[in-house]
Amino acid sequence: MKLRLGYLALPLLTAAAFTTQARADGQTIAVFTKNQTNPYFQTVRVGADVAAKALNAKTLQYIPTKPDSIPEQLSQIEDVVVKKPSAIVFIPVDYKAMVPGVEKINDAKIPVVNITDRSAGGKFVSFVGADDYSLGLETARYLLKTLGGKGNIVIIEGVKGSLTNVDRVRGFNDALKETPGAKLLASQPGNYQRLQALQVMENLMQSNSQIDGVLAANDAMAVGAIEALDGANRKAQVIGINGTKEAIDAIKSGKLLASGDYNGFAQGCLGTMMAIRNLREQPVVAEIVLKPTVITKDNFGPFDVPLEQRACPTWEEAQKLGTK
Amino acid sequence: MTDITKEAISPPRSFLSQDAIQVFYRLLAALLICAVLAVLSDSFLSLGNILNVLRQASLTFFIASGLTLVVLTAGLDLSVGANVALSACLAGTVIHQTGSPVLGVVTALVAGGIVGLLNGVMVTALRIPSFIATYGMLWVLNGLTYWYMAGDTIHGFPAGFRQIGSGYLFGLPIPVYLLVVFLAIGTLFAQRTIWGQEIYAIGANPVAARLSGIPVVRRLLLVYAVSGTMAGLASIIFLSRLNSAEADIGESLTLPAIAAVLIGGTSLFGGVGTVFGTFVGALILTLVLNGMNLLSVSANWQPLVTGIIVILAVWLDMKTRRRTQ
């Protein structure tokens, strides 16, 4: 009987030891993302979780229930300032409007790392982001190269006026300018919505008998455009942006030419890593702007792995990615 | 008072009434837009484009047709788009899990219908104004759908199922057949059945309707359930056309559906309007977007033009209504 108790006690003691160990460095990182609807932010959240787990910390996710709601994110900041997490990883729902929120965090002396959308103000430990412009430029260049530097192109734009869309479309257009053989037929709004992109594509096919390439500002719209092309028995090379699971599947089956990866997973990882390193008084990288990856049929492998099973960059790799 | 009571218990309306005149004005507006687009774009009047417009208008119409009945009772259903999103995600899961499109369709219709019925219960039993009840429902549905999908999409459905939204029969898109069927059912129901007439009466004056023996609660439950079920049907069309379900489709569907009902001449104050008008409303909205795509109108101007068309349509409605009354 005693013996049995001993066996029981051993794992309990070990568990207790681990708990104290975890508590010793178990900081809580509050992660702010913009919405629950865009898969991109899901990749950020999982990246943050994976990094926190690896570094023996935990995350608390803050997501506005109404997508991209400025007042909601502001009130979430107020809540967080009261709750006092160890550090914050922050994506502002609006890079200008959230500046007062960031200042509130600064006043509360909670260290904060800015990721994805660069805040227009406030003090940050680090910035980790990618570059929408080069994402648009590189994906469009890839499409135009595949088409042999010529052809009729249409652009399907995201939400007009949103920062991501402005920069991505600017990148598309600059790639087109470099390619005199390519002709831009139309640049029409799909508002990042699959249905709207499908309908826009259906309409454009009515007035354009030959469309060779489609540049869509996100994957959902790219896939919508492909559905429209399939429905009309027409073929064109299509690219999207974001590297969603759906896009990877479409690249695998040869329906989608390529998707630009905004590295949401890496951004979540690196942002959380910087926050935790800062808390533990280890050196951090002040700024990392990740190079866009054009995901194609030749390199989709690492993106075809479930997010939870992907590995975060190591500190050594992160240092090399740093631009400042 | 005598006037209103008379209206509430008046004999079934003929289609050639006030409402018919309103529909006539709307058709005229739609034709005017067509004429302008035909002049500006060579491709507008092609058969392909006309079928295109009808198929695109059908999705908005399915959502808006049930909604028309709700608005006829002086109510509003703000949850239709969120209902489409949830129904689509549930139906998509069922089709993936069971491999049976039939079960998927049943799931969407039942889920949509239950949500509608819950709206009806909130409006009748709890006496919550429909605007608030269905606005609350919108959040509940969004919350459930976001949680359920966790930022993922469900994509890839059997080819047979894809036919519903993308297929053709004798050269016409299948959604266009469904459009004709539901337009006929909706119009006959509203104009030619006692229940339909009772719905108009409830919208014109709920007190008079109750006093004249109309089972107001049951009719209201019916219209909200129909609105929800039509959202379920729309989700099937959506799913089979787009080959994909995602959580964030609701917002982009609700306001166009409401706009289609209002452009179609159904009054927010209830008792006035037709399902056919709603079809014309959906058509006008689709025509405007189709035309702007064909003419390559800059993405900057498209929301502005759409907004102006909506305002103009409703303003014209008020004007013609005053004149004919």
Side-chain angles (χ1 to χ4, degrees), chain A residues 160 188 194 202-203 227, chain B residues 162 241 290 293 300 302:
Chain A
K160 202 71 200 172
Q188 293 284 292
R194 188 184 305 264
E202 283 177 346
N203 294 340
E227 291 301 334
Chain B
R162 300 290 319 280
R241 260 203 98 187
N290 173 264
N293 287 155
N300 291 323
Q302 295 205 7

Side-chain angles (χ1 to χ4, degrees), chain B residues 57-82:
Chain B
S58 66
L59 187 68
T60 307
F61 170 74
F62 293 132
I63 306 173
S65 60
L67 187 61
T68 309
L69 299 184
V70 174
V71 178
L72 280 175
T73 67
L76 195 58
D77 185 350
L78 292 174
S79 69
V80 281

Side-chain angles (χ1 to χ4, degrees), chain B:
Chain B
M1 185 67 199
T2 42
D3 258 15
I4 297 162
T5 323
K6 214 182 353 176
E7 193 180 347
I9 54 169
S10 63
R13 294 155 178 252
S14 122
F15 189 66
L16 285 167
S17 63
Q18 284 292 315
D19 286 332
I21 297 166
Q22 295 302 318
V23 167
F24 173 75
Y25 276 115
R26 270 161 197 84
L27 270 176
L28 215 60
L31 284 175
L32 189 72
I33 295 173
C34 287
V36 171
L37 290 176
V39 171
L40 293 177
S41 162
D42 307 337
S43 25
F44 177 75
L45 276 184
S46 67
L47 180 66
N49 193 51
I50 290 165
L51 294 182
N52 213 5
V53 167
L54 284 175
R55 184 166 59 181
Q56 291 181 5
S58 66
L59 187 68
T60 307
F61 170 74
F62 293 132
I63 306 173
S65 60
L67 187 61
T68 309
L69 299 184
V70 174
V71 178
L72 280 175
T73 67
L76 195 58
D77 185 350
L78 292 174
S79 69
V80 281
N83 194 349
V84 173
L86 180 67
S87 301
C89 293
L90 290 178
T93 309
V94 168
I95 296 172
H96 265 208
Q97 299 287 328
T98 65
S100 162
V102 177
L103 277 182
V105 173
V106 172
T107 304
L109 296 179
V110 170
I114 289 174
V115 168
L117 203 57
L118 287 175
N119 281 332
V121 168
M122 284 193 286
V123 170
T124 54
L126 307 182
R127 310 220 167 185
I128 303 170
S130 63
F131 181 87
I132 305 295
T134 57
Y135 184 63
M137 183 57 90
L138 170 145
W139 286 89
V140 170
L141 298 178
N142 275 345
L144 284 173
T145 317
Y146 294 165
W147 163 76
Y148 179 63
M149 298 295 283
D152 214 349
T153 56
I154 302 171
H155 59 276
F157 297 105
F161 177 70
R162 300 290 319 280
Q163 288 295 311
I164 305 174
S166 317
Y168 286 82
L169 194 67
F170 309 118
L172 288 178
I174 289 172
V176 175
Y177 290 95
L178 291 171
L179 174 85
V180 173
V181 168
F182 281 93
L183 187 54
I185 293 175
T187 302
L188 288 177
F189 173 77
Q191 311 291 331
R192 293 277 176 226
T193 67
I194 305 278
W195 283 11
Q197 293 307 303
E198 289 174 349
I199 288 167
Y200 277 96
I202 291 169
N205 187 332
V207 178
R210 190 165 47 81
L211 292 177
S212 49
I214 295 171
V216 175
V217 169
R218 267 185 285 159
R219 295 297 168 268
L220 284 176
L221 286 176
L222 175 75
V223 298
Y224 284 95
V226 167
S227 177
T229 310
M230 288 308 289
L233 175 85
S235 80
I236 290 300
I237 308 292
F238 185 94
L239 209 54
S240 84
R241 260 203 98 187
L242 282 125
N243 202 19
S244 176
E246 55 195 337
D248 67 342
I249 57 175
E251 232 172 328
S252 68
L253 299 175
T254 307
L255 289 179
I258 294 173
V261 173
L262 298 183
I263 294 173
T266 300
S267 164
L268 271 178
F269 302 106
V272 178
T274 56
V275 175
F276 190 82
T278 298
F279 162 65
V280 181
L283 202 58
I284 289 176
L285 275 178
T286 311
L287 281 170
V288 171
L289 286 175
N290 173 264
M292 288 193 291
N293 287 155
L294 293 186
L295 300 172
S296 280
V297 174
S298 153
N300 291 323
W301 296 107
Q302 295 205 7
L304 187 106
V305 174
T306 312
I308 290 174
I309 298 280
V310 171
I311 293 168
L312 264 182
V314 176
W315 174 70
L316 271 176
D317 176 40
M318 311 285 281
K319 220 170 132 74
T320 55
R321 208 181 285 281
R322 269 199 296 273
R323 191 178 302 150
T324 48
Q325 266 168 4

Side-chain angles (χ1 to χ4, degrees), chain A residues 142-156:
Chain A
Y142 184 78
L143 175 99
L144 293 166
K145 205 179 89 191
T146 308
L147 291 175
K150 56 183 182 351
N152 293 334
I153 310 294
V154 299
I155 293 176
I156 303 182

